[in-house]
Amino acid sequence: MIGDRVSLELKNSLSELSTLRKSLEQFGEALGLSSKILFEISLSMEELFSNIISYGYADDAVHWIKVAISHEDEMLIIRLEDDGIPFDPLKAEEPDCECPIEQRKIGNLGIHLTKKFMDDMVYERQGNRNILTVKKKITGT
Amino acid sequence: MEVVEKKQNGICILGLLGRLDSNTSPEFEKKIFEVIEDGTKSVIVDFESLDYISSAGLRVLLKATKELKRSDGKIVLCSMKEYIKEVFEIAGFVSLFPIVSSVGDAVEEF
């Protein structure tokens, strides 16, 4: 299998999303993933990455976010590592998706979508770093 | 991303092309709010050529529909790809917008 693992270091800037997307697309195409699975992975990565850059840093300095994409058996595995403030997305409050429009808020919707689309998410804090490992089943694609 | 605007019997049809993500949503937000500020109360957003949406795009639609509701206006969405409709379902947005299969059906909603 070609491209068994891809590692990226991305700046905390939204402009890096296109680099992230292209890497995911290349990796996904090499594995023959369906466009639906690839869409769900791309969306989840945009949500997690944009969360880190929006809420992770209190200063204006450039920070580097490490992204590693790999696969193991029938799972695609993505590991995100950042030096932002401690943030466990798994503990984020679930949005109320039933309430009427006037009270509807968008907060945490990205994480809600990510949890639905990914099959496994594990958060760890190691020293000053957040490490999030997400897995997506890629069987039958 | 590109937004193509058309007018039909007082209804504004905004056709989205490409990707509605964190980088392109501000452009769509600007466009749809211009339309609303111009006094348009009936807006159709045509998803036929849209390949991607994230929560950044949903945020703009929610903000716009809240704004339009205040003036008794309405947004109708149409021609969504199945995997994009799934995002609306998971987000609980299917109860906030009429979602129909074609621009023709969307016009009938007004």
Side-chain angles (χ1 to χ4, degrees):
Chain A
M1 169 66 65
I2 45 154
D4 263 354
R5 186 182 175 86
V6 174
S7 296
L8 305 165
E9 288 208 34
L10 304 169
K11 276 186 273 192
N12 57 326
S13 158
L14 282 180
S15 62
E16 296 278 53
L17 275 174
S18 61
T19 311
L20 178 58
R21 169 165 60 95
K22 277 172 202 149
S23 299
L24 287 168
E25 281 173 359
Q26 277 170 7
F27 200 87
E29 276 160 22
L31 289 173
L33 301 188
S34 68
S35 53
K36 185 176 189 291
I37 296 240
L38 200 50
F39 166 73
E40 293 174 357
I41 295 168
S42 293
L43 178 143
S44 302
M45 286 309 110
E46 178 187 332
E47 303 296 354
L48 295 172
F49 187 79
S50 60
N51 252 322
I52 295 169
I53 59 179
S54 302
Y55 309 114
Y57 303 106
D59 59 25
D60 294 325
V62 171
H63 294 267
W64 293 91
I65 299 159
K66 288 185 188 172
V67 183
I69 312 164
S70 61
H71 76 101
E72 207 170 84
D73 300 324
E74 285 156 342
M75 286 285 191
L76 185 87
I77 304 161
I78 302 170
R79 185 178 188 273
L80 291 154
E81 186 180 329
D82 67 82
D83 63 347
I85 57 165
F87 177 66
D88 180 356
L90 299 168
K91 292 202 175 123
E93 202 185 320
E94 283 286 316
D96 182 353
C97 293
E98 304 292 330
C99 74
I101 189 164
E102 291 78 9
Q103 284 119 47
R104 193 71 68 103
K105 291 194 178 65
I106 201 85
N108 294 338
L109 197 52
I111 288 171
H112 175 66
L113 291 168
T114 303
K115 283 186 190 165
K116 293 281 179 187
F117 284 145
M118 295 293 118
D119 293 295
D120 187 40
M121 290 171 76
V122 176
Y123 170 81
E124 295 162 81
R125 180 79 180 172
Q126 285 185 9
N128 67 339
R129 310 189 71 80
N130 294 305
I131 298 167
L132 186 69
T133 308
V134 300
K135 294 184 183 177
K136 170 84 174 164
K137 262 186 212 139
I138 52 174
T139 43
T141 58
Chain B
M1 217 254 320
E2 207 185 322
V3 187
V4 180
E5 183 183 353
K6 273 187 267 179
K7 285 263 163 69
Q8 190 181 321
N9 305 330
I11 301 170
C12 175
I13 305 167
L14 297 175
L16 302 178
L17 282 82
R19 301 169 59 85
L20 193 54
D21 61 18
S22 301
N23 282 311
T24 57
S25 290
E27 186 190 330
F28 174 51
E29 180 167 0
K30 190 167 167 268
K31 185 77 214 169
I32 196 164
F33 274 86
E34 270 172 24
V35 165
I36 295 169
E37 277 153 28
D38 281 349
T40 308
K41 289 186 179 177
S42 308
V43 179
I44 294 172
V45 182
D46 181 3
F47 278 63
E48 168 128 54
S49 302
L50 192 79
D51 302 318
Y52 180 97
I53 192 165
S54 66
S55 69
L58 298 179
R59 178 178 290 117
V60 175
L61 286 167
L62 179 65
K63 210 175 148 188
T65 196
K66 279 183 174 174
E67 181 66 29
L68 264 179
K69 249 198 143 189
R70 257 176 260 161
S71 55
D72 281 327
K74 184 161 83 166
I75 300 180
V76 177
L77 313 178
C78 72
S79 315
M80 252 177 222
K81 292 183 171 72
E82 207 44 55
Y83 63 84
I84 288 186
K85 185 146 187 221
E86 207 181 81
V87 174
F88 279 75
E89 283 163 0
I90 295 171
F93 270 40
V94 286
S95 60
L96 304 184
F97 299 92
I99 301 175
V100 298
S101 57
S102 67
V103 172
D105 288 352
V107 171
E108 298 293 312
E109 293 283 320
F110 293 98

